[in-house]
Amino acid sequence: RLLRIGFAIFGFLVVAVGLAMLVLPGPGLLVIAIGLGILALEFAWAERLLERTVDRMEQAADTVRRASRAQQLLLAAVLAVASVALLAAVLIWDVPYLPV
């Protein structure tokens, strides 16, 4: 039970970081989707929000396709840094890959 509560808190924390990234530099929608994916393991409302977020991500992908080459390269660099940071956080904080 304590693990489930901790998992939910972690999911909410990831969503909060994603929301902050909507106004700060970073892949906000991607981080929100990851947080909602974590929460969707426990909550049905999070699964519905995840579906809507994925739709928004598809719209964002269309916007990226219309962006200039320099903007696309910058976005790729930001996503790479965010991915490495997420992997480092998982390894440093010993986050389980799958809920137990």
Side-chain angles (χ1 to χ4, degrees):
R1 186 165 177 90
L2 196 56
L3 182 63
R4 292 178 77 186
I5 292 170
F7 207 68
I9 290 171
F10 179 69
F12 281 114
L13 179 64
V14 173
V15 169
V17 169
L19 289 172
M21 286 183 184
L22 290 176
V23 294
L24 299 172
L29 288 177
L30 178 62
V31 175
I32 291 171
I34 292 169
L36 287 174
I38 293 167
L39 291 172
L41 296 172
E42 299 291 330
F43 303 106
W45 58 265
E47 189 172 350
R48 290 189 300 271
L49 279 176
L50 178 59
E51 290 173 8
R52 290 196 334 214
T53 303
V54 169
D55 290 339
R56 290 282 307 256
M57 289 174 65
E58 289 172 357
Q59 292 172 357
D62 290 338
T63 302
V64 169
R65 285 187 204 105
R66 292 188 303 265
S68 71
R69 191 58 139 174
Q71 290 172 325
Q72 289 177 350
L73 290 173
L74 179 63
L75 179 61
V78 168
L79 288 175
V81 168
S83 298
V84 169
L86 181 62
L87 179 62
V90 166
L91 294 174
I92 290 170
W93 293 323
D94 197 27
V95 176
Y97 297 113
L98 295 172
V100 180

